Amino acid sequence: KNEVEQSPQNLTAQEGEFITINCSYSVGISALHWLQQHPGGGIVSLFMLSSGKKKHGRLIATINIQEKHSSLHITASHPRDSAVYICAVGDNQGGKLIFGQGTELSVKP
Amino acid sequence: DAGVTQSPTHLIKTRGQHVTLRCSPISGHKSVSWYQQVLGQGPQFIFQYYEKEERGRGNFPDRFSARQFPNYSSELNVNALLLGDSALYLCASTRASTPGELFFGEGSRLTVL
């Protein structure tokens, strides 16, 4: 069993839909990251969480430390949100992370 | 300001050869981390360097080595290449004031034939 599990692995949505991607982990952590990867490889850091909830534009990330679970929500989804979303856990020093396998999101117009 | 830059962007090698990948962090960032991403999988942590010292190492064989230079740029070296080393190699830098905020380069795509 992987230490970081994401679900679903693939997700297709219609433009405007509310999207949820889940991440469960089995190791002790100080921080959880949500990352976005577009075709071609570039990765953008969306959030780093150690507790509670963060919001940036249409993106919301929550974490429940006791349940070792995090969710990434996208409100009013748009085709430009199509990407692979990756959950990663580790310490709060950034580098040494354990990554999930990613969730491939496709938003259709 | 320039982002994290990696070179080369693409390269093809044959089994047994050696490869050197390079990463220049964002100006002012003193920590660099390296990751390997095999097609269809999430990245895996290889190394982290801070102030030229190795801070962490992932579960990779000794064929993988890295170093960080006084200007905080970094090299990842892989010896005796195997077909399974074919992957996207990503570099990320962080600044001391916000160590958890990662800035990634576009990666170096290595194909081993």
Side-chain angles (χ1 to χ4, degrees):
Chain A
K1 193 178 191 309
N2 293 333
E3 294 169 298
V4 180
E5 294 275 358
Q6 289 184 233
S7 63
Q9 289 191 352
N10 296 279
L11 180 57
T12 300
Q14 288 299 124
E15 183 173 358
E17 286 185 358
F18 180 84
I19 289 163
T20 296
I21 300 170
N22 296 299
C23 175
S24 296
Y25 54 92
S26 57
V27 295
I29 68 168
S30 297
L32 181 143
H33 299 253
W34 281 103
L35 310 168
Q36 180 191 57
Q37 186 171 34
H38 282 281
I43 291 180
V44 174
S45 178
L46 300 174
F47 296 104
M48 185 184 76
L49 294 162
S50 53
S51 64
K53 176 180 174 178
K54 286 190 176 180
K55 184 176 189 291
H56 185 259
R58 296 180 294 105
L59 302 178
I60 303 166
T62 63
I63 187 168
N64 185 317
I65 296 291
Q66 287 72 33
E67 294 188 2
K68 297 189 173 181
H69 181 268
S70 175
S71 293
L72 176 69
H73 306 286
I74 304 175
T75 62
S77 60
H78 190 276
R80 65 175 175 266
D81 297 326
S82 298
V84 175
Y85 292 83
I86 302 172
C87 168
V89 303
D91 60 28
N92 55 11
Q93 298 303 305
K96 190 172 184 179
L97 299 174
I98 304 171
F99 294 79
Q101 77 275 29
T103 294
E104 186 168 3
L105 171 65
S106 176
V107 182
K108 305 294 186 186
Chain B
D1 282 340
V4 177
T5 57
Q6 293 188 241
S7 63
T9 55
H10 295 82
L11 69 166
I12 299 173
K13 294 283 188 178
T14 56
R15 280 178 297 175
Q17 284 190 312
H18 162 272
V19 68
T20 297
L21 307 177
R22 296 177 176 83
C23 172
S24 293
I26 292 171
S27 177
H29 288 198
K30 298 180 179 180
S31 176
V32 169
S33 298
W34 287 96
Y35 307 91
Q36 180 197 64
Q37 187 177 25
V38 173
L39 193 63
Q41 298 181 18
Q44 281 194 285
F45 170 74
I46 310 175
F47 287 109
Q48 184 186 16
Y49 277 80
Y50 179 74
E51 291 272 19
K52 304 183 290 294
E53 297 290 326
E54 183 183 300
R55 172 169 276 183
R57 171 187 280 258
N59 188 23
F60 280 80
D62 291 343
R63 300 185 295 108
F64 288 76
S65 63
R67 55 180 175 167
Q68 188 177 32
F69 299 99
N71 67 354
Y72 304 112
S73 67
S74 178
E75 281 182 357
L76 175 70
N77 294 283
V78 187
N79 293 323
L81 286 167
L82 303 173
L83 296 179
D85 296 330
S86 295
L88 179 68
Y89 289 85
L90 293 156
C91 170
S93 72
T94 60
R95 56 188 166 214
S97 58
T98 55
E101 187 176 9
L102 293 159
F103 295 84
F104 285 84
E106 293 294 314
S108 294
R109 188 166 296 280
L110 170 66
T111 301
V112 182
L113 302 177

